[in-house]
């Protein structure tokens, strides 16, 4: 882990490929998969776009039952079976973590696939929260073959672990 976190890193689309991109951190260029709608300046709920802008990293959510706790300067929270995220623009808890009962539908953070083994929560649409402007925008593990996300930024697990050791709550992500 770096002694002090990097201050800013960038996510840029790969020229000619809206669902492929690069995360630039210092002299490292790491492949990423943005949303199926590409990077959008006017993000809307359900559009598949990754929001353009500058955001802070809030915390790391991680699957303590699957992988060891990674080294990071971010606040860390293990993912529990009841952890979810509210994506309903009509709900007062929109774009916030919520507890879900076992039989309740919703975006669960504890998934059977490995995509949410590590989730970096970013502060997109948090101050103020605006209904319909997008929710649950994370940095998480990529699908095999780097398939596009629903609006997040995804990367391989080893690269994400590398990034975790170099970021903290003051780090900014600039999505261009």
């Amino acid at each position: 882990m770096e002694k002090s976190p990097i201050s800013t890193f960038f996510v840029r689309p790969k020229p000619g490929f809206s669902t492929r991109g690069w995360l630039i951190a210092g002299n490292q260029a790491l492949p990423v998969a943005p949303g199926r709608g590409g990077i959008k300046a006017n993000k809307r709920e359900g559009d598949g776009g990754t929001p353009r802008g500058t955001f802070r990293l809030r915390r790391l959510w991680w699957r303590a039952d699957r992988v060891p706790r990674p080294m990071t300067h971010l606040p860390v929270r293990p993912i529990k079976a009841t952890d979810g995220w509210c994506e309903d623009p009509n709900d007062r808890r929109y774009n916030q973590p919520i507890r879900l009962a076992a039989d309740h539908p919703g975006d669960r953070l504890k998934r059977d696939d490995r995509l949410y083994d590590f989730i970096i929560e970013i502060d997109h649409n948090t101050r103020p929260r605006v209904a319909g402007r997008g929710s649950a925008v994370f940095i998480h593990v990529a699908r095999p073959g780097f398939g596009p996300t629903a609006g997040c930024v995804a990367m391989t697990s080893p690269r994400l672990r590398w990034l975790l050791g170099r970021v903290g709550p003051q780090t900014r992500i600039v999505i261009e």
Side-chain angles (χ1 to χ4, degrees):
M1 185 164 66
E2 298 283 318
K3 291 181 181 165
S4 60
I6 58 175
S7 61
T8 306
F9 64 92
F10 302 85
V11 172
R12 297 182 176 131
K14 183 176 181 180
F17 298 91
S18 64
T19 60
R20 298 288 174 121
W22 296 102
L23 184 147
I24 312 298
N27 63 357
Q28 296 288 315
L30 310 173
V32 294
R36 68 181 180 277
I39 295 173
K40 295 186 172 266
N42 194 20
K43 168 79 180 138
R44 296 282 181 210
E45 188 69 40
D47 66 3
T50 299
R52 177 175 284 130
T54 301
F55 310 102
R56 282 188 186 218
L57 310 183
R58 297 188 73 173
R59 73 179 125 188
L60 170 69
W61 298 73
W62 115 96
R63 286 291 300 267
D65 60 321
R66 285 190 176 163
V67 291
R69 180 181 171 142
M71 299 289 285
T72 186
H73 296 280
L74 290 170
V76 179
R77 179 173 171 177
I79 296 171
K80 299 178 181 138
T82 57
D83 286 331
W85 205 268
C86 183
E87 296 180 326
D88 179 357
N90 298 314
D91 191 310
R92 66 177 175 78
R93 302 169 300 169
Y94 178 65
N95 196 30
Q96 294 184 73
I98 56 173
R99 290 193 172 277
L100 295 173
D103 61 343
H104 187 278
D107 188 11
R108 291 192 179 276
L109 300 185
K110 190 167 188 177
R111 297 170 52 136
D112 291 334
D113 60 23
R114 310 287 305 203
L115 302 184
Y116 282 9
D117 281 3
F118 302 106
I119 304 168
I120 300 175
E121 176 187 342
I122 67 172
D123 71 351
H124 168 261
N125 194 24
T126 58
R127 289 185 204 164
R129 279 182 293 125
V130 178
R133 296 292 294 184
S135 63
V137 177
F138 306 129
I139 301 169
H140 64 74
V141 178
R143 296 179 191 287
F146 274 88
T149 70
C152 298
V153 173
M155 55 197 309
T156 66
S157 186
R159 300 294 180 133
L160 185 48
R161 289 180 74 94
W162 176 88
L163 183 66
L164 284 169
R166 289 158 177 80
V167 298
Q170 300 304 314
T171 301
R172 303 258 195 295
I173 176 175
V174 179
I175 303 173
E176 304 175 322

